[in-house]
Amino acid sequence: MLQYIEEVRQGNERAFEPIVRHFAMMAHAVGYEKLRDVQLAEDAVQEAFTEAYLHIGQLQTPEAFPGWFKAIVERQCYRMLRGKKHPVVPYDDAAQSIASTFSLSDWMERRELKEAVRQSIASLSSNLRIVVRLFYLQGYSLAEISGFLDVSVPTLKKRLFDARQKLKDALPVADLVSVFHHLYEGGAGMLHIVNGDFVAEKLRQGVVKGDILVWREVYPHGPVFTDPVAGDHRALRADYLEKTIGVPRIEFVRGSEEQERTLTACGQYRDIVLWFEHDLFDQTMLVYLLDWFGRQSLPETKIHLLCIGSYPGIPLFRGLGQLSTAQLSELSGTWKMVSKDELALGSAFWQAYTSEDPESLQQLLRTDTSALPFAADAFMTHLAQFPSTLDGLGIVERATLKVLQEGEHSAHGLFKQVGDQLHRLGMGDLQYGYILRRMAEGSHPLIELRGDREMQRPPGQYFSLQNQDVAMTPFAERVLQGEADWVTHNGIDAWYGGVHLQGHRPAWRWDAVERQIVLGE
């Protein structure tokens, strides 16, 4: 958006159209808050956009546009207030007409509930009302609202929390957003797409209404392709997962086809909510789904997103599975509508992640990725898993050896400590178990596995981290001291997204000092 604003300042009048689309509903909400009339608010916004276009040369920086434009909208509202003489039209009554196909009983029920919602929102203070409208009804993000209203994000979160508490007390419902969907979307069903069965089971315990689809994939492990179903892509991935982490090939193929059938039929839902977290495990699923939805024509379906990286009272937030049903209930309804910018950025991330050239992802990370606030850290951590230019170790292998040096020798203990250190990966026990097996293999192993030989089962069988002890080899000590390179001595055959590294001189390495991918020797 800043780019469009700068282009208008430089004289490109066509760039003003996306600015109008982006700020129109937000400006209308501010206008209505001042004028209490839908038509007058529309007139005020039109006049404000005209004034902003004519005087945009006075704007010192593009970043100042939201606050500057809000002041123009308010000034135009004050002008209109001095001359307003005609009756007002309530915002909620004008928001959407009731379809003529409804029965009289339906119409009366909806009318009564609409009036209850309208009165409840009207009873809120002005600063709560406008945030509720912008966040819940218009789908703006907290960052966008913050820039427009010149109010900090923490303050906006507090206002939304206060508004939800007041509305819960005032309405015979638990979920504010469900009320709005019932009133303005005809009571259509909802589909919730979540990252695991544990979270899904909690959501089914009265946290949400509607259908739940568990998206079962481990995109950070094994080969991934931009189009998973093209050619032999699925078969290649299924074979790799079975060989490396013991996921039965038949089950993977069947499960993938089932979840894709549900996704293909998503046009039957009026609202779809994506529940995801900050780590790479979730962000890869999220960008895949955003890429998929961005390529569909779903005129009657709205996509919403709930994505968090922390929760009050949890010092190390690892994911939604940590939360109780009560805590998940507090999150229910705080999702926001997915914008075109988020769909486009999700698609860009998915295509870069699945590319055979990791520089495409690196280039993307150098652009503005704020539309998906957790993606940059997650995918930068992904790149850091490539073998280092210093010693051939990725961040997981290096962290494992460091924890071993500190005295932890159980496989499960290593998984816990390394997982906490590298929580941005969202790494599961199957992934980590495979990494340990890789570290123990080859002509120059880094570790030795001791225990009940569970970890040494043939490829294709499930293995556990329980009852396993791990010891460093003398070679690992040399690697940590910078005297040897693990990959050069041992070779590599591993996938990093769409990149397949092979041999003793892999094509790509990670430069930890410059924090970038570089060509191998």
Side-chain angles (χ1 to χ4, degrees), residues 237-252:
R237 180 160 175 77
D239 289 341
Y240 187 90
L241 294 180
E242 183 175 68
K243 177 181 178 181
T244 58
I245 60 176
V247 175
R249 185 184 191 280
I250 295 177
E251 290 186 14
F252 172 77

Side-chain angles (χ1 to χ4, degrees), residues 357-381:
D357 181 359
E359 285 190 329
S360 60
L361 179 57
Q362 186 162 267
Q363 292 298 324
L364 179 59
L365 290 170
R366 290 171 178 162
T367 66
D368 180 9
T369 62
S370 57
L372 297 174
F374 301 113
D377 281 346
F379 286 100
M380 184 65 76
T381 306

Side-chain angles (χ1 to χ4, degrees), residues 105-222:
S105 60
D106 288 336
W107 184 88
M108 293 184 66
E109 178 185 354
R110 288 162 56 84
R111 182 78 177 185
E112 291 174 0
L113 187 52
K114 178 178 289 188
E115 180 62 19
V117 173
R118 189 191 68 78
Q119 291 179 1
S120 297
I121 294 179
S123 69
L124 297 174
S125 61
S126 176
N127 61 346
L128 297 186
R129 275 198 309 269
I130 190 168
V131 177
V132 166
R133 293 193 186 284
L134 291 175
F135 187 79
Y136 285 120
L137 272 71
Q138 311 298 351
Y140 288 102
S141 70
L142 289 177
E144 291 170 323
I145 299 171
S146 174
F148 193 70
L149 299 182
D150 194 24
V151 177
S152 70
V153 170
T155 299
L156 293 175
K157 288 182 178 180
K158 179 63 166 60
R159 290 181 183 178
L160 284 173
F161 177 81
D162 291 343
R164 281 170 59 84
Q165 294 303 110
K166 293 179 182 297
L167 288 169
K168 282 183 177 181
D169 293 338
L171 295 172
V173 292
D175 188 344
L176 171 64
V177 173
S178 294
V179 174
F180 283 123
H181 288 170
H182 175 65
L183 293 176
Y184 300 109
E185 303 300 332
M190 299 184 73
L191 174 66
H192 299 269
I193 304 180
V194 302
N195 65 351
D197 292 279
F198 195 52
V199 176
E201 185 57 34
K202 290 184 178 181
L203 294 184
R204 291 189 180 101
Q205 297 175 22
V207 175
V208 296
K209 294 182 179 180
D211 297 331
I212 296 177
L213 169 62
V214 180
W215 199 256
R216 297 181 178 91
E217 252 293 6
V218 192
Y219 293 125
H221 183 81

Side-chain angles (χ1 to χ4, degrees), residues 38 47 92 116 154 170 184 205 212 353 444 521:
V38 172
E47 293 296 328
D92 293 301
Y184 300 109
Q205 297 175 22
I212 296 177
Y353 179 68
H444 293 76
E521 296 181 358

Side-chain angles (χ1 to χ4, degrees), residues 222-362:
V224 288
F225 307 95
T226 304
D227 184 353
V229 302
D232 59 354
H233 290 171
R234 173 152 295 156
L236 288 172
R237 180 160 175 77
D239 289 341
Y240 187 90
L241 294 180
E242 183 175 68
K243 177 181 178 181
T244 58
I245 60 176
V247 175
R249 185 184 191 280
I250 295 177
E251 290 186 14
F252 172 77
V253 172
R254 182 172 60 243
S256 297
E257 292 174 347
E258 287 178 357
Q259 66 187 18
E260 284 164 4
R261 278 195 294 270
T262 301
L263 200 60
T264 302
C266 69
Q268 65 181 297
Y269 299 98
R270 299 299 297 272
D271 294 274
I272 298 174
V273 183
L274 311 177
W275 294 68
F276 289 101
E277 302 149 8
H278 65 294
D279 55 50
L280 181 67
F281 180 80
D282 274 40
Q283 291 295 301
T284 51
M285 285 191 282
L286 174 59
V287 299
Y288 169 78
L289 291 168
L290 291 176
D291 173 72
W292 190 89
F293 281 117
R295 291 183 284 103
Q296 311 306 309
S297 176
L298 300 168
E300 303 299 324
T301 302
K302 295 180 180 178
I303 313 298
H304 308 268
L305 174 62
L306 186 151
C307 189
I308 62 174
S310 62
Y311 192 89
I314 300 180
L316 179 58
F317 179 75
R318 295 288 297 273
L320 294 168
Q322 289 175 278
L323 305 184
S324 65
T325 54
Q327 290 169 324
L328 288 171
S329 294
E330 286 299 320
L331 290 176
S332 178
T334 64
W335 45 75
K336 65 183 184 67
M337 195 177 301
V338 172
S339 68
K340 292 182 179 179
D341 289 344
E342 288 164 317
L343 290 172
L345 183 58
S347 180
F349 264 117
W350 178 250
Q351 294 181 47
Y353 179 68
T354 57
S355 170
E356 296 178 357
D357 181 359
E359 285 190 329
S360 60
L361 179 57
Q362 186 162 267

Side-chain angles (χ1 to χ4, degrees), residues 371-429:
L372 297 174
F374 301 113
D377 281 346
F379 286 100
M380 184 65 76
T381 306
H382 159 70
L383 292 179
Q385 295 180 101
F386 278 68
S388 167
T389 55
L390 298 175
D391 48 28
L393 300 176
I395 55 170
V396 179
E397 293 87 4
R398 179 175 291 103
T400 298
L401 295 181
K402 292 289 187 182
V403 174
L404 275 169
Q405 281 187 324
E406 294 168 0
E408 178 60 65
H409 293 286
S410 73
H412 189 269
L414 288 170
F415 172 60
K416 175 67 168 61
Q417 292 191 45
V418 173
D420 285 348
Q421 290 181 25
L422 305 178
H423 61 89
R424 286 190 177 91
L425 287 175
M427 181 173 52
D429 58 345

